[in-house]
Amino acid sequence: MSQQFDVLVIGGGPGGYVAAIRAAQLGFSVACCESNAYADPKGEPRLGGTCLNVGCIPSKALLHTSHLFEEAGHGFAAHGISVGTPKIDVGAMIGRKNTIVAQLTGGIKGLFKKNKVTLLGGHGAFVARGGTAGNEVWQVRAGDETVEAKQVIVATGSRARHLPGIPVDNKIVCDNAGALDIDAVPKKLAIIGAGVIGLEMGSVWRRLGSGVTILEALPDFLSVADIDVAREAARVFARQGLNIQTGVKIGDVKVGKKGVSLAYTDKTGAAQTLDAERLIVSVGRIPNTDGLGADKVGLQLNERGQIAVDGHCRTNLPGVWAVGDVVAGPMLAHKASEEGVMVAERIAGQAGHCNVDTIPWVIYTSPEIAWVGKTEQQLKAGGAAYKAGKIPFAANGRALGMGETAGFVKILACAKTDRILGVHIVGAGASELISEGVVAMEFGAASEDLARICHAHPTLSEVMHEAALACDKRALHF
Ligand code: FAD
Ligand code: NAI
């Protein structure tokens, strides 16, 4: 007889593993099926998905190492510290990153044991719908065995989109996985796509000494961000030496043993060629629904190939849910986890929810970029009456002490009610500062609420405080 569970989760990334743990906390018998996509040296499936293995965590480890390298080479002197010309041991940097990944992925296995979640190694796919109407039992192939569950949470995530005619070998031409394992600093690095991965990985290798050119198809740089933030970021990145070209059209890409030769037309329509030792293709991601047996059970996909869900991540099938990158919405680890918790709590009859309006975005460049809520261009397009308070980090004592004066905080609030509609930050510590904006928006705060809160001195958070004061034209230090 096949193993039976109350809840079966397919996929062990931040959507799936968090859903499994929360469901187990709520008293269900839970299994999580994870394919061997990121098999560890023992051949066992690794939990943590894209985020822990080839995404958030390894990229942030490399960003930190390269930041220290750049500081040693270019930042220390201003403090009167001389250390000579720093050298980078790329192997040691990658090894450190791998150790962090192994520690965290292993840690989730420990959490599964602690919470009594059964890990099923292998590919998961729907086999059949059983039971009776209103009392369905789903048969799912999990690796070598078939198991049954009343509730199934699909959390199969996403993979890198590749471009036709540009085969990815993850040596010369890399997607996110190869980009995190480059074994020597390329003299020249080409990147297609000036999105989040392009900017973060471009920053890593530029800091380590590569000449980086990023080719972006859209005419505007970083158009998902607030227009002021995108402008300031473009200015700072250009000063750092990142060559970002927008409005390009990629042509033929010739791949040899030592590099690539990439033909493209620039925004004026002129033909150009770019030669580089490595190419990173970072042009977005596609949902993982292949081989999931969706057709066998009639699981509906939407026009973008994502699993179709409602606001509570319910699919068209009773007892089948889907969360994270495989459904619509921002492809972010914390969004996937929020949805995972919501679904587990909904299965338990609770009122779990995920507020899509307050999901923060962070881009971990230097300076960092972070935002929550509406951008100024969205408010304008929607005809909203709003006011803005904008304060530069250059007016903040702590930022000056740190030598991190680039950027600003901009708070957008309703002109009538003063309710905060969006918070946009480009500057040092943006990834941490944005939490204040998220909390404020979750609590329906007005800009005056933030303005009346005592912020510690001297901290970067005082720039948030001043921006809130500036919404009412009463900033004290600017
Ligand atoms: P995934 O993490 O993709 O996990 C899905 C899991 O399901 C995988 O382990 C896969 O092996 C498994 N699987 C797939 N199909 C099956 C199947 N049929 N059977 C069994 N198992 C299956 N987000 C952030 O919030 N912050 C960041 O800083 C950040 N940095 C990133 C950097 C990079 C380079 C990349 C690529 C992504 C980054 N992201 C970041 C995005 C983040 O990684 C994803 O949004 C997040 O991992 C999505 O979680 P998920 O659980 O939906 O899917
Ligand atoms: P992205 O969607 O952020 O950016 C892709 C870029 O490539 C876009 O600007 C797009 O216009 C451009 N593009 C598409 N086709 C192109 C073409 N043919 N030629 C030139 N440019 C082209 O996608 P990316 O960077 O691959 O990252 C995927 C996702 O992973 C992100 O959207 C984000 O959800 C997640 N991520 C999150 C991070 C974070 O939270 N800090 C870090 C890295 C990734």
Side-chain angles (χ1 to χ4, degrees):
M1 190 167 139
S2 53
Q3 287 198 75
Q4 297 187 333
F5 298 95
D6 297 327
V7 179
L8 172 69
V9 183
I10 306 178
Y17 84 74
V18 168
I21 291 172
R22 184 70 189 119
Q25 285 175 346
L26 290 163
F28 296 112
S29 65
V30 183
C32 178
C33 165
E34 169 56 50
S35 64
N36 281 313
Y38 313 109
D40 71 10
K42 287 187 215 147
E44 290 171 5
R46 277 193 151 177
L47 292 164
T50 303
C51 169
L52 264 60
N53 291 282
V54 287
C56 325
I57 297 300
S59 58
K60 267 78 257 179
L62 299 189
L63 277 157
H64 190 68
T65 302
S66 59
H67 174 69
L68 294 179
F69 180 80
E70 182 160 60
E71 282 296 290
H74 303 288
F76 283 9
H79 298 267
I81 306 170
S82 52
V83 289
T85 307
K87 287 193 189 120
I88 183 72
D89 176 344
V90 175
M93 173 181 79
I94 299 289
R96 174 182 178 273
K97 178 263 296 180
N98 290 341
T99 304
I100 294 166
V101 169
Q103 184 183 334
L104 287 178
T105 53
I108 300 173
K109 274 196 186 151
L111 291 174
F112 270 20
K113 277 200 192 104
K114 181 180 156 202
N115 288 283
K116 299 190 176 54
V117 174
T118 304
L119 172 59
L120 304 168
H123 187 88
F126 286 98
V127 175
R129 173 182 191 149
T132 53
N135 209 6
E136 282 77 7
V137 177
W138 300 97
Q139 289 173 9
V140 175
R141 190 90 190 140
D144 295 334
E145 58 176 321
T146 300
V147 299
E148 292 187 339
K150 290 185 189 138
Q151 306 281 338
V152 178
I153 305 173
V154 181
T156 49
S158 66
R159 62 182 182 280
R161 184 165 82 83
H162 294 169
L163 292 172
I166 312 181
V168 169
D169 61 0
N170 274 329
K171 291 197 172 75
I172 300 291
V173 180
C174 300
D175 60 18
N176 60 295
L180 293 161
D181 264 337
I182 292 179
D183 56 5
V185 180
K187 278 203 181 70
K188 279 191 180 175
L189 172 68
I191 300 180
I192 304 181
V196 195
I197 294 179
L199 291 174
E200 291 188 354
M201 297 318 298
S203 295
V204 166
W205 294 104
R206 180 202 59 74
R207 292 169 188 170
L208 297 178
S210 295
V212 178
T213 303
I214 311 185
L215 301 175
E216 165 61 43
L218 289 178
D220 295 324
F221 172 65
L222 205 59
S223 50
V224 288
D226 184 88
I227 194 160
D228 271 351
V229 168
R231 271 196 204 122
E232 171 72 0
R235 198 182 61 77
V236 180
F237 294 155
R239 208 173 56 204
Q240 292 172 349
L242 263 187
N243 176 7
I244 302 172
Q245 299 192 28
T246 55
V248 311
K249 193 164 187 302
I250 306 294
D252 272 358
V253 177
K254 291 198 186 77
V255 184
K257 283 196 180 133
K258 293 198 168 158
V260 297
S261 179
L262 198 154
Y264 66 98
T265 49
D266 67 18
K267 64 173 170 229
T268 69
Q272 303 285 355
T273 311
L274 176 64
D275 295 324
E277 284 169 27
R278 306 283 179 127
L279 169 65
I280 296 174
V281 180
S282 49
V283 292
R285 299 182 60 82
I286 47 179
N288 285 328
T289 55
D290 300 354
L292 186 62
D295 47 338
K296 288 219 171 98
V297 290
L299 179 63
Q300 245 171 41
L301 306 185
N302 65 20
E303 63 293 345
R304 299 185 59 196
Q306 298 155 325
I307 296 177
V309 289
D310 68 9
H312 291 132
C313 292
R314 264 191 210 93
T315 70
N316 65 313
L317 301 175
V320 179
W321 314 71
V323 301
D325 280 11
V326 79
V327 305
M331 289 180 156
L332 297 172
H334 41 283
K335 176 261 195 185
S337 299
E338 278 296 298
E339 288 180 340
V341 168
M342 168 180 74
V343 165
E345 292 181 350
R346 293 243 148 211
I347 290 172
Q350 298 183 358
H353 85 298
C354 173
N355 186 355
V356 289
D357 295 331
T358 54
I359 294 170
W361 271 88
V362 180
I363 307 179
Y364 296 81
T365 45
S366 183
E368 292 180 340
I369 297 169
W371 71 89
V372 59
K374 298 267 191 268
T375 61
E376 192 157 356
Q377 59 269 32
Q378 283 171 333
L379 292 178
K380 273 192 185 136
Y386 66 92
K387 54 188 176 171
K390 185 173 157 188
I391 297 291
F393 280 92
N396 176 269
R398 185 72 189 280
L400 276 170
M402 292 164 65
E404 299 273 8
T405 51
F408 57 81
V409 172
K410 180 164 108 176
I411 295 180
L412 301 168
C414 175
K416 286 187 201 127
T417 64
D418 194 29
R419 191 180 176 129
I420 297 174
L421 303 172
V423 178
H424 304 273
I425 310 172
V426 51
S431 58
E432 303 293 342
L433 293 175
I434 196 62
S435 290
E436 181 171 1
V438 175
V439 172
M441 287 187 66
E442 270 291 340
F443 281 82
S447 75
E448 189 182 349
D449 291 321
L450 284 193
R452 289 191 180 279
I453 289 171
C454 182
H455 288 68
H457 175 77
T459 62
L460 298 174
S461 75
E462 288 171 293
V463 188
M464 293 284 287
H465 188 214
E466 291 281 332
L469 287 164
C471 284
D472 194 31
K473 296 193 172 36
R474 56 189 185 97
L476 293 165
H477 296 90
F478 188 71

